[in-house]
Amino acid sequence: MTIELLASFGSMLQPGPFAFIFIGVLSGIVIGAIPGLNGAMLVALSLPLTYGWDPLNGIALLVGQYVGSISGGLVSATLLNIPGSASSMMTTLDAAPMAQNGRPDRALQLGIIASFFGGLVSWLALVFLSPPLAKLALNFGPHEYFALVLAALMLISSLSDGSMVKALISACLGMFAAFPGIDTITAQPRLTFGLPQMNAGFDLLAVLLGVFAVTQLLDDSAKTSKSAERLKLGARMSWIKLGDITRQWFNLIRSSLIGTWIGILPGVGGSVGAIVSYVSAKNMSKTPEKFGTGCDDGVIASEAANNATVGGALIPMITMGIPGSIIDVILIAALTLHNIRPGPLLFQNEPEIVYGFMSVMFIANLLMLLLMLAGIRFFAKLIDVPLKYLVPVLLLLCVVGAFAVNNRLFDVWVMFGFGVLGLLFRAWRIPIAPFVIGFILTPIAETNFRTALIASDNSLTSFVMRPISAVFIVVALAVLVLPLLRRRRGAAATSSATDLQ
Amino acid sequence: MKSTAGEIALSVACATLAVGIYWSAAQIPPSLMSQISAGLVPRVVAAALLLLALVHLVTVLRRPRQVRGGGDSGRVSGARLPALETHLTWLVATVLFGFLLVVELELLPFWLSGFLFCFLAILVLSDLSLRAVVLAAGISAASILVTVLVFTQVFTVILP
């Protein structure tokens, strides 16, 4: 493994791929720093560009953007008290007060270094956990794969914000979006409503551009008139000391590990990682009252964890084809565009792709650290970029991008339709993550489900007779039932308390 | 839109969609090549969605009146539609729809319709003034020029 990884580093440090990583990280930081725009939108928007490229160059650009966008959110969280991305939500709690207390440089530097550290820990997890997990996943047959996808969908639905029923509705709607087209097993047209364009189903890229980019940009249209007061950096930059970082070693390691673990869970991204890490840091702190007033611990806990989710999220994606975050869904789409299917066989069939992910992630993290430390002043100015000019231009790029892959306008209409659907999801407060994960995993789940049934003479009990499959089904059921039981117990406790009163 | 009305509309829309998909999937004839019909999984998912829509409807209707009126407590969050309260989102969506319609019907060349889309969308999002018009025209011209050049010359895409 070491030799392959070193060889991958060697090829990724060649001028071509390195330039793609550099552009990716830089564009990611820029988009992450602008409030309203986010990494998922950028990665979806860049996806059509990578279509004709070497897959490794595409990975270099997209993973660079992923790492950069998670880190870039720190800038507006600190100087504007508005998280540039959802993953920087918790950073605002301490970075913004620290900046308001006259120490914006310190908040930004602590955040950048914590981000790098978080990324580094999750990179180590990616390198050392992926091969054994992939080996384990090689034992999976159709029963296990179907059960795994079912468990992943249940898990993402239970971990989504708000109502679990709405999250499950979202997952079902995502599955519906994946059904139309020619059936892969029987070759029959299904839910195509007589439209020949529907024979290939909804184009993956058009759907992703719609729900990530178009929805976000249309939603941002409403925010273009609002302007917030931003803090300016001082004329001279004051640098933090090494002791400020070494004093936080335990917080850094704990937060990075939490972020990595949260990242591994399907569909759960940086925002949840940052929340769990921040709350843990506060609960374990000797001075919890300082949290929220501009303390170092809060900035570090949030930023280390949100960046650590990136590497964590790549682990299930590479080893099992299950996206760890919504940006991973787009990365899967990028691989699919190049006829590469993520999963355990990736280690055998396309090892250069696996090690490419690993080396790109490390280089992107290092570049993020250097670029952000060197360019703090430049990135701080980005938050003044008016969205009223960016939104129409980016929408135009979405239209051209959706058209470019298959050269047909039908895909542009699909993108528009799913963009509007995304707006309705936001209006109804339906989480989008179960939708996109349902959409991307349904073909795998359905094919495996039907293959498993054919192989076991239509016996549903075969799913519970095989141990690994049974474990996943138990997990799926537990994830579905436990919140209901907890809720019922909570309601019972409330009613007995009311009776006592 | 009232909170409860929005939530009921969601349940009804999901239930209708589920019934429609179930019916459509049930029309798929059994295949000679496989014992399991291509409509099996869509029917299962449609049934699940119908069940979820009913659970959601019951949950909304069982909520206390004061919570239903607009509160956001409980497991079912109220649909206050923060994004939809602002008309700009839907105005830009309409301009985008118009742009796609013009491209679909081939009423104008792509570069011109793209320019007009950017120009109109920027104007919709700006305060109307001579400066805003000039800026909108400049940015739109530059954007469409760069987009067309990059996609046709670098990525060799044949634009509509």
Side-chain angles (χ1 to χ4, degrees):
Chain A
M1 183 182 90
T2 317
I3 295 164
E4 286 97 335
L5 190 58
L6 286 175
S8 178
F9 269 108
S11 67
M12 282 301 175
L13 287 169
Q14 297 290 318
F18 185 77
F20 283 114
I21 305 176
F22 183 87
I23 294 168
V25 174
L26 188 64
S27 57
I29 298 172
V30 167
I31 291 297
I34 300 172
L37 305 185
N38 60 42
M41 188 212 76
L42 175 69
V43 179
L45 205 54
S46 308
L47 191 53
L49 304 180
T50 66
Y51 185 51
W53 298 1
D54 182 276
L56 283 173
N57 287 340
I59 290 170
L61 183 83
L62 302 178
V63 174
Q65 290 177 334
Y66 189 2
V67 172
S69 62
I70 296 268
S71 313
L74 163 74
V75 180
S76 58
T78 306
L79 300 179
L80 212 58
N81 200 9
I82 297 172
S85 57
S87 56
S88 309
M89 196 166 58
M90 301 310 282
T91 312
T92 52
L93 298 182
D94 279 287
M98 197 184 282
Q100 283 154 6
N101 294 338
R103 297 183 299 164
D105 300 346
R106 184 183 179 82
L108 288 170
Q109 288 164 20
L110 280 173
I112 294 166
I113 293 167
S115 296
F116 172 71
F117 194 87
L120 199 65
V121 169
S122 73
W123 177 78
L124 288 170
L126 175 68
V127 170
F128 291 106
L129 288 182
S130 300
L133 265 178
K135 206 174 265 181
L136 178 77
L138 272 177
N139 299 322
F140 290 4
H143 294 83
E144 286 78 13
Y145 251 108
F146 167 72
L148 173 68
V149 173
L150 188 71
L153 272 177
M154 289 299 171
L155 202 60
I156 174 62
S157 300
S158 75
L159 292 173
S160 295
D161 293 339
S163 157
M164 190 171 169
V165 173
K166 283 187 177 179
L168 289 169
I169 287 176
S170 175
C172 286
L173 293 175
M175 292 169 98
F176 278 165
F179 287 140
I182 301 287
D183 179 50
T184 48
I185 293 179
T186 62
Q188 290 171 297
R190 183 172 70 173
L191 304 175
T192 55
F193 305 104
L195 295 170
Q197 299 99 318
M198 291 283 283
N199 282 345
F202 293 123
D203 185 74
L204 184 62
L205 180 69
V207 174
L208 296 181
L209 269 175
V211 293
F212 289 123
V214 174
T215 299
Q216 182 66 44
L217 291 168
L218 289 176
D219 200 23
D220 283 344
S221 307
K223 300 168 192 157
T224 48
S225 56
K226 291 176 193 161
S227 61
E229 191 66 29
R230 88 161 161 97
L231 288 161
K232 306 268 191 244
L233 292 175
R236 285 193 60 191
M237 181 80 83
S238 58
W239 292 93
I240 54 168
K241 296 185 180 70
L242 186 64
D244 295 326
I245 298 296
T246 52
R247 215 176 296 134
Q248 296 282 344
W249 68 272
F250 183 66
N251 187 12
L252 273 169
I253 293 174
R254 181 190 52 216
S255 306
S256 304
L257 290 175
I258 290 174
T260 306
W261 169 243
I262 298 279
I264 292 173
L265 300 177
V268 188
S271 52
V272 178
I275 292 169
V276 176
S277 167
Y278 186 90
V279 172
S280 307
K282 189 176 177 181
N283 288 343
M284 292 178 77
S285 171
K286 286 174 187 161
T287 52
E289 71 282 356
K290 284 189 179 170
F291 276 73
T293 61
C295 74
D296 294 0
D297 307 44
V299 178
I300 283 176
S302 166
E303 281 302 309
N306 68 21
N307 268 66
T309 56
V310 177
L314 287 175
I315 296 172
M317 191 204 91
I318 290 177
T319 56
M320 288 176 264
I322 305 286
S325 73
I326 50 174
I327 297 187
D328 286 301
V329 174
I330 311 171
L331 292 178
I332 290 179
L335 293 176
T336 312
L337 281 180
H338 289 97
N339 287 327
I340 298 169
R341 194 178 153 184
L345 289 174
L346 202 59
F347 275 81
Q348 284 178 7
N349 301 341
E350 316 258 4
E352 69 282 1
I353 298 291
V354 175
Y355 295 109
F357 268 108
M358 292 175 183
S359 53
V360 168
M361 204 204 140
F362 184 86
I363 299 167
N365 254 299
L366 199 61
L367 272 178
M368 179 278 296
L369 176 77
L370 300 175
L371 278 173
M372 283 195 76
L373 284 178
I376 283 180
R377 281 172 188 284
F378 167 70
F379 296 123
K381 287 187 178 135
L382 284 173
I383 53 182
D384 294 332
V385 172
L387 281 175
K388 62 185 171 189
Y389 302 127
L390 273 180
V391 167
V393 174
L394 292 174
L395 279 173
L396 179 68
L397 284 176
C398 287
V399 170
V400 180
F403 176 82
V405 176
N406 298 318
N407 272 23
R408 52 178 203 171
L409 274 170
F410 178 74
D411 293 332
V412 183
W413 285 111
V414 169
M415 177 196 75
F416 180 75
F418 279 94
V420 173
L421 183 73
L423 279 181
L424 292 174
F425 268 41
R426 287 188 181 197
W428 270 314
R429 295 183 187 169
I430 301 175
I432 200 74
F435 176 87
V436 286
I437 291 180
F439 175 67
I440 201 120
L441 291 184
T442 293
I444 304 171
E446 188 188 4
T447 308
N448 282 298
F449 175 68
R450 288 165 63 190
T451 312
L453 280 184
I454 292 166
S456 53
D457 289 329
N458 292 347
S459 161
L460 280 172
T461 51
S462 61
F463 286 96
V464 286
M465 298 307 282
R466 298 166 70 105
I468 300 176
S469 163
V471 168
F472 286 134
I473 285 175
V474 168
V475 169
L477 285 174
V479 165
L480 187 69
V481 173
L482 282 179
L484 295 175
L485 287 178
R486 210 177 299 141
R487 222 176 112 201
R488 183 156 288 187
R489 208 174 295 157
T494 313
S495 71
S496 62
T498 315
D499 291 346
L500 280 174
Q501 276 174 2
Chain B
M1 199 188 295
K2 288 270 186 190
S3 169
T4 311
E7 297 299 337
I8 291 172
L10 170 66
S11 300
V12 172
C14 286
T16 312
L17 180 71
V19 171
I21 296 281
Y22 191 97
W23 178 82
S24 188
Q27 306 303 307
I28 299 170
S31 166
L32 296 173
M33 298 170 65
S34 170
Q35 288 176 302
I36 297 153
S37 158
L40 172 72
V41 179
R43 272 183 286 153
V44 172
V45 179
L49 182 65
L50 182 63
L51 185 69
L52 287 166
L54 293 176
V55 169
H56 185 65
L57 186 65
V58 170
T59 315
V60 170
L61 294 176
R62 279 179 60 188
R63 269 190 297 177
R65 192 174 288 270
Q66 64 271 29
V67 177
R68 263 196 265 160
D72 200 11
S73 55
R75 289 287 285 170
V76 179
S77 50
R80 287 293 300 158
L81 312 190
L84 306 189
E85 281 169 3
T86 51
H87 301 301
L88 280 177
T89 294
W90 293 107
L91 210 52
V92 174
T94 309
V95 175
L96 180 60
F97 179 78
F99 166 47
L100 298 185
L101 211 57
V102 168
V103 175
E104 176 77 59
L105 300 174
E106 298 181 14
L107 296 176
L108 292 171
F110 180 78
W111 65 268
L112 185 56
S113 51
F115 168 81
L116 286 176
F117 161 70
C118 271
F119 180 71
L120 282 175
I122 293 175
L123 277 189
V124 162
L125 299 174
S126 309
D127 301 322
L128 208 55
S129 67
L130 184 63
R131 187 173 172 271
V133 173
V134 173
L135 265 173
I139 291 169
S140 306
S143 309
I144 194 71
L145 188 72
V146 172
T147 307
V148 170
L149 275 179
V150 168
F151 276 87
T152 54
Q153 302 304 310
V154 182
F155 298 112
T156 59
V157 173
I158 303 161
L159 290 173

